[in-house]
Amino acid sequence: MKLQPCPCCRGKAIFADLIIGKANRRVKMWQVSCTGCGLSTEMDEDKRYAAKRWNLRQEYASLKMWVTLLAALLPVSIIISLLLGNLMGISLIS
């Protein structure tokens, strides 16, 4: 499983494993973390799922940026439309 670079610092990502539980019931947990900034996923029993979550972080970060940008531009576009409408003699507010 290939891990993509860290979405924050572009550092190298590595797998870390930890065995949790008592002698009769042990579970191996996996985590992906960045060697540069320390960003990491939550612990998970499935190594492939941990890698998949890590590799999707960059896509989620990009999507979040676009949603935030569009949400910020919506009120600005409404205000500009109202101002242009007033300049052209169109009033939406009575």
Side-chain angles (χ1 to χ4, degrees), residues 28-91:
K28 190 170 194 176
M29 303 291 284
W30 293 96
Q31 181 180 39
V32 179
S33 61
C34 173
T35 58
C37 67
L39 180 70
S40 64
T41 62
E42 295 178 5
M43 300 293 285
D44 198 280
E45 292 181 28
D46 187 0
K47 185 177 182 179
R48 289 179 191 208
Y49 182 71
K52 182 178 177 182
R53 284 196 325 196
W54 176 266
N55 290 337
L56 288 177
R57 281 182 182 239
Q58 186 63 40
E59 292 176 26
Y60 291 148
S62 296
L63 179 62
K64 185 177 179 181
M65 178 200 65
W66 282 109
V67 168
T68 303
L69 180 66
L70 291 174
L73 290 177
L74 183 64
V76 172
S77 64
I78 291 172
I79 291 171
I80 290 172
S81 298
L82 288 173
L83 291 174
L84 288 175
N86 283 337
L87 288 175
M88 293 172 39
I90 302 169
S91 177

